Amino acid sequence: MLRIVDQGTLSQLRRGVIEYCVLALLRDGERYGFELVRTLSEVPGMVTSEGTLYPLLSRLRRAGVVETSWRESTSGPPRRYYRLTASGRAVLEAFSGEWASFRDAVDHFLEQEKAA
Amino acid sequence: MNAAAQHPLVRDYLKRLEKAAKDLPRARRKELVAEIEAHLSEALPPGASEAEALNVLERLGEPREIVAEAGPGQAPVRAGLNEWLAISLLLAGGFLFVVGWFVGVVLLWGSRVWTLRDKLIGTLVLPGGLATSAFLFMFVGSSTGSSGDGGCPATRVGLHGAKALNASNGCTSSGVDVDYLFLAFGGLLVVLPVLGAIYLGRRANRLETAMP
């Protein structure tokens, strides 16, 4: 058993999956930037600094998996809403399947380790 | 600007963000700053306390960290053959039947190494490059030569040739003042395109040296 969990490894893992978490948050409808960022950062262990999520959102938009539109808000300046594109939905579906088997595989070994 | 951005801590933060993001492509920089500004105005009610502002900024993270996240996503841009060809053609391409300079302009604007500002400078200082210098040089040389000396033929083609040719044609020099003006103007004409080329070269290199 490792006494110290390598922070580098953890942040690599996080970086690898956070884009899909954003896509998953948009599965049921659009959300504005701040809402997305706060929803993600409220789950402990996923986001270390909220600001870095904005470049990530920009990357997703340029990759064509999300699209944005500005909408008036009742309580302040206009908000930029993010929503999944068809290709974003496909990417999310594919990842969900891959992730389930990946998670099971990791669990398989972790559980085995524990049992031994 | 909204109320949240008026908080001195927020203003300072946004200033640092702008500074950290200065090497991002213009559109990306504007997008990032707009998103962070929107975030701040959502997170901080008007008249928020110092502690609230600190907390929100803490959660956002350091501007440098945020910009670093925006960096690796873009394809690495570095100066290559294209860029050096563009600089050469902008400088001397005008001599290649003028078309060479226009090819240089196309390469300049097609490159992702330079910013909009670089491209404007590269195009406008000096259109045509050294060929324009040479052309203006001859044009001005011949016009000052003929206006100042009356009957002298328009034979001034260069700095060194001017006096000798005038002398051999039996013409008197049109005056020291005009000559110095002519020299200064000619010097400027040669220096401008060269400076333009050096500027573009340095701007192209900036990214190469910034690469890890």
Side-chain angles (χ1 to χ4, degrees):
Chain A
M1 193 72 179
L2 289 169
R3 275 202 304 133
I4 301 162
V5 177
D6 180 9
Q7 284 303 313
T9 307
L10 263 185
S11 84
Q12 291 280 12
L13 280 171
R14 240 184 246 129
R15 290 175 74 90
V17 297
I18 195 154
E19 302 185 355
Y20 302 101
C21 295
V22 171
L23 297 184
L25 280 177
L26 296 171
R27 179 170 17 217
D28 296 326
E30 57 180 16
R31 289 171 190 254
Y32 59 97
F34 181 72
E35 190 186 5
L36 269 175
V37 167
R38 277 291 156 95
T39 310
L40 278 166
S41 72
E42 264 152 25
V43 178
M46 190 46 97
V47 177
T48 45
S49 68
E50 293 176 339
T52 56
L53 289 170
Y54 291 104
L56 184 142
L57 287 172
S58 168
R59 219 163 38 236
L60 292 177
R61 180 183 58 78
R62 280 176 283 125
V65 288
V66 302
E67 55 191 8
T68 66
S69 55
W70 288 91
R71 199 90 41 79
E72 288 302 322
S73 140
T74 50
S75 62
R79 287 169 171 166
R80 192 183 197 189
Y81 280 84
Y82 290 79
R83 98 180 64 80
L84 277 186
T85 62
S87 95
R89 202 164 288 280
V91 167
L92 177 61
E93 289 304 307
F95 181 79
S96 302
E98 293 289 337
W99 176 255
S101 52
F102 178 70
R103 180 198 54 211
D104 289 347
V106 174
D107 283 351
H108 171 76
F109 292 111
L110 289 180
E111 298 305 314
Q112 206 175 45
E113 187 92 346
K114 225 184 265 173
Chain B
M1 195 50 58
N2 53 69
Q6 294 302 332
H7 198 288
L9 282 172
V10 170
R11 265 209 310 274
D12 174 65
Y13 183 90
L14 287 172
K15 212 180 287 172
R16 284 191 292 134
L17 179 69
E18 286 267 8
K19 201 171 162 206
K22 69 181 193 307
D23 280 338
L24 286 181
R26 189 183 144 82
R28 299 261 293 280
R29 185 179 67 234
K30 290 194 119 183
E31 181 188 26
L32 179 62
V33 172
E35 289 278 30
I36 299 290
E37 277 176 347
H39 179 102
L40 288 168
S41 68
E42 296 275 0
L44 283 173
S49 71
E50 180 132 342
E52 281 177 298
L54 273 175
N55 177 256
V56 165
L57 295 177
E58 178 94 350
R59 287 179 69 166
L60 264 178
E62 271 304 301
R64 281 180 51 190
E65 202 184 335
I66 298 172
V67 173
E69 184 66 27
Q74 69 187 118
V77 185
R78 47 170 58 220
L81 187 62
N82 239 13
E83 281 68 34
W84 299 117
L85 197 61
I87 294 175
S88 312
L89 285 173
L90 286 169
L91 190 61
F95 292 113
L96 301 171
F97 313 106
V98 185
V99 180
W101 182 78
F102 286 100
V103 176
V105 171
V106 171
L107 289 175
L108 172 74
W109 285 85
S111 167
R112 286 164 61 216
V113 165
W114 288 300
T115 62
L116 179 67
R117 182 163 154 263
D118 297 341
K119 289 171 181 176
L120 283 173
I121 289 175
T123 310
L124 299 176
V125 182
L126 180 73
L130 284 175
T132 302
S133 312
F135 176 76
L136 284 176
F137 211 58
M138 283 199 283
F139 179 74
V140 174
S142 64
S143 64
T144 57
S146 52
S147 67
D149 302 327
C152 278
T155 46
R156 276 186 153 171
V157 288
L159 286 174
H160 306 297
K163 287 228 172 182
L165 281 167
N166 280 351
S168 69
N169 289 336
C171 290
T172 51
S173 174
S174 55
V176 178
D177 287 351
V178 175
D179 270 2
Y180 276 128
L181 208 66
F182 182 59
L183 267 170
F185 181 64
L188 193 68
L189 278 181
V190 175
V191 165
L192 270 182
V194 172
L195 281 182
I198 291 173
Y199 172 80
L200 286 181
R202 293 180 71 126
R203 293 291 292 171
N205 255 331
R206 139 199 81 115
L207 289 172
E208 261 189 299
T209 48
M211 284 297 173

